[in-house]
Amino acid sequence: MKKGSLILLITGLMLFAACTTEEVCEDASESYLVARMKYIENGSSLDTVVPDLLLWGIRESMPDSLIYDSLSTARLVLPLDPHHNFSTFVMVIDSIYDTLFLEYGVELYLHSQACGFRHAFTLDSVRASGLKILEAETVREDIDATLETNEEHVWLYL
Amino acid sequence: MSGSTYKSGPGHSLFPLSGKALIVLFICLLPASMAGQDTLRTYGPRFGFDLSRIAYLFTDPVQKGAEVSLDFEVYKNIYPVFELGFNHSTDPGELYSYKSGGPYARIGMDYNLLPMDDRSVHHTITAGFRYAVSVFDHEAEDISIQGDYWGDYYLDTYENRLSGHWFEIVGGMKTEIGANFFLGWSLRLKILMNPDMDPVLPPQMIPGYGNGSESRAFGFNYSIMYKIPLIKR
């Protein structure tokens, strides 16, 4: 065997290995449910804005932490709990407390080699206590770490 | 699921070969000698050992493996080929560490495109195909997902046993460098037939194939071979 061939072979392989680009993760690590606030007028479903919303999740062994603190919003973006197959959120709208209860299936998946693993959720049910949120409707069941523009999963009717 | 083991029921490319690089390799790896020895043509099983696997130990030490081959000219210019190997790879990443390993086998055929006017010439330029299969284990360990609101998520191990199937289009050369000793190389285009074998964790390394998250892969072998001269005519 020519020595040159082997040297060129090894050099070539080292060059290829050196040219491998390093990926950078720019995606979120959590998966978010998006809920649109709605109301019904004359049989039609219309978007609405909730003023001065307070919202937090009920977390095991962790203190309450506000996700929405007196914000006016038409769209709620809520992180889902991957440790359980449910998440519970307390909402305060016009000084009235309501509870949003979400049930789902959770699966692990490799998002990318740069980002590592993420959770994919399949929404089973959405309920509210009915004090302020009159009805909840699921419009899209699948939720993963890639949130597309205008992606919505739930409509909440006031 | 936190802090436990997840078992399932049933790629970055470690060597991203560019087109230009393949051409350079093609030129560099032209066989060293073109001299034949026998005055009669000999036939017999030819056993090979892939030397490129040794180079991998220097360029990509996370991969360890070996590959052997067997071919036989059963009819003029037609060589059934059987290849057998194993590969183990580890990738200790920051977000999770990955391991895969197992054997693989390929079966196929090469056709010699080099005209054989001189019966003493045993060199070949071949084109062929392979069907390949690998049954392997892969696992991710120390999986962590940052959770700003609900807290971080940890999983000790996710593991799965998989089988990968792929098809290869192969081209290469073999030169007899001494009596019955050959040196040769081959380039391969690999087409993965079941890329969705694990939807949770696409295999980062299928033994004998490469990155399982890619449905196409390139490969090459640089082998030394010995032919047992059973028949002379």
Side-chain angles (χ1 to χ4, degrees):
Chain A
M1 183 199 322
K2 268 189 184 172
K3 274 185 186 172
S5 296
L6 187 60
I7 290 165
L8 281 169
L9 166 67
I10 292 169
T11 309
L13 283 171
M14 291 173 102
L15 280 172
F16 293 138
C19 287
T20 305
T21 52
E22 196 75 26
E23 281 184 83
V24 178
C25 179
E26 294 176 345
D27 297 334
S29 60
E30 291 178 301
S31 300
Y32 294 93
L33 172 136
V34 178
R36 172 73 66 183
M37 305 307 292
K38 299 248 180 195
Y39 72 102
I40 294 176
E41 188 176 80
N42 298 327
S44 300
S45 165
L46 301 169
D47 291 352
T48 188
V49 173
V50 181
D52 298 325
L53 172 71
L54 289 174
L55 187 148
W56 65 93
I58 297 177
R59 307 186 293 179
E60 259 182 19
S61 313
M62 293 170 83
D64 289 343
S65 174
L66 286 171
I67 299 171
Y68 285 87
D69 186 0
S70 302
L71 279 179
S72 295
T73 183
R75 188 171 171 262
L76 306 179
V77 180
L78 306 175
L80 297 179
D81 182 0
H83 306 281
H84 302 96
N85 60 356
F86 62 88
S87 292
T88 307
F89 297 94
V90 178
M91 311 167 75
V92 185
I93 303 169
D94 299 333
S95 303
I96 299 171
Y97 284 68
D98 206 331
T99 305
L100 187 63
F101 189 74
L102 305 157
E103 283 185 303
Y104 41 74
V106 192
E107 284 183 354
L108 198 67
Y109 73 99
L110 184 69
H111 185 64
S112 68
Q113 283 169 12
C115 293
F117 286 85
R118 295 290 183 268
H119 289 103
F121 299 86
T122 306
L123 210 51
D124 292 327
S125 70
V126 184
R127 297 193 308 274
S129 9
L131 298 172
K132 196 67 187 176
I133 308 290
L134 303 178
E135 194 184 332
E137 181 184 351
T138 302
V139 290
R140 179 170 169 172
E141 293 177 344
D142 301 328
I143 302 160
D144 60 24
T146 308
L147 192 59
E148 295 159 15
T149 313
N150 299 326
E151 184 174 330
E152 291 174 5
H153 307 102
V154 171
W155 287 349
L156 300 176
Y157 292 93
L158 295 173
Chain B
M1 241 174 11
S2 283
S4 61
T5 297
Y6 189 103
K7 269 196 177 186
S8 185
H12 62 274
S13 179
L14 294 173
F15 290 100
L17 299 179
S18 67
K20 278 183 187 172
L22 284 173
I23 292 166
V24 172
L25 257 188
F26 183 92
I27 294 164
C28 294
L29 299 181
L30 285 171
S33 164
M34 295 292 284
Q37 282 78 32
D38 292 349
T39 52
L40 292 174
R41 188 159 186 82
T42 57
Y43 297 87
R46 182 165 52 185
F47 295 91
F49 179 76
D50 185 6
L51 297 171
S52 68
R53 303 301 314 183
I54 297 168
Y56 276 54
L57 294 175
F58 296 100
T59 59
D60 190 12
V62 300
Q63 281 201 73
K64 291 180 176 63
E67 183 176 317
V68 292
S69 64
L70 169 65
D71 69 352
F72 196 119
E73 187 177 13
V74 292
Y75 189 71
K76 187 181 175 184
N77 292 325
I78 293 180
Y79 296 77
V81 184
F82 181 66
E83 294 161 339
L84 196 65
F86 73 93
N87 191 77
H88 288 274
S89 69
T90 54
D91 184 6
E94 288 179 16
L95 299 166
Y96 64 97
S97 61
Y98 180 82
K99 284 183 201 169
S100 82
Y104 59 92
R106 304 187 189 104
I107 189 163
M109 195 90 77
D110 279 340
Y111 181 76
N112 180 22
L113 303 165
L114 197 65
M116 285 200 309
D117 295 333
D118 183 351
R119 287 173 61 81
S120 68
V121 173
H122 291 179
H123 315 309
T124 56
I125 296 175
T126 56
F129 67 89
R130 306 278 187 277
Y131 166 74
V133 62
S134 174
V135 178
F136 63 101
D137 294 306
H138 80 151
E139 66 178 56
E141 290 181 332
D142 304 324
I143 297 165
S144 67
I145 303 172
Q146 186 187 339
D148 294 332
Y149 194 77
W150 297 102
D152 294 345
Y153 176 94
Y154 300 101
L155 183 68
D156 293 337
T157 308
Y158 168 85
E159 58 190 5
N160 203 353
R161 171 163 286 190
L162 303 169
S163 60
H165 306 260
W166 67 97
F167 185 79
E168 297 183 0
I169 299 165
V170 187
M173 306 176 70
K174 292 183 184 74
T175 301
E176 190 172 22
I177 55 171
N180 298 312
F181 277 99
F182 293 79
L183 196 60
W185 56 263
S186 64
L187 286 175
R188 295 152 188 263
L189 170 64
K190 306 174 184 184
I191 302 154
L192 189 59
M193 294 158 74
N194 60 335
D196 299 323
M197 65 188 85
D198 188 344
V200 173
L201 175 62
Q204 290 175 25
M205 180 56 64
I206 300 174
Y209 176 82
N211 188 352
S213 58
E214 308 277 349
S215 58
R216 303 278 184 280
F218 282 105
F220 82 99
N221 297 65
Y222 194 84
S223 300
I224 189 161
M225 288 151 275
Y226 178 71
K227 181 171 71 178
I228 298 172
L230 289 180
I231 306 160
K232 227 175 211 191
R233 62 181 184 224

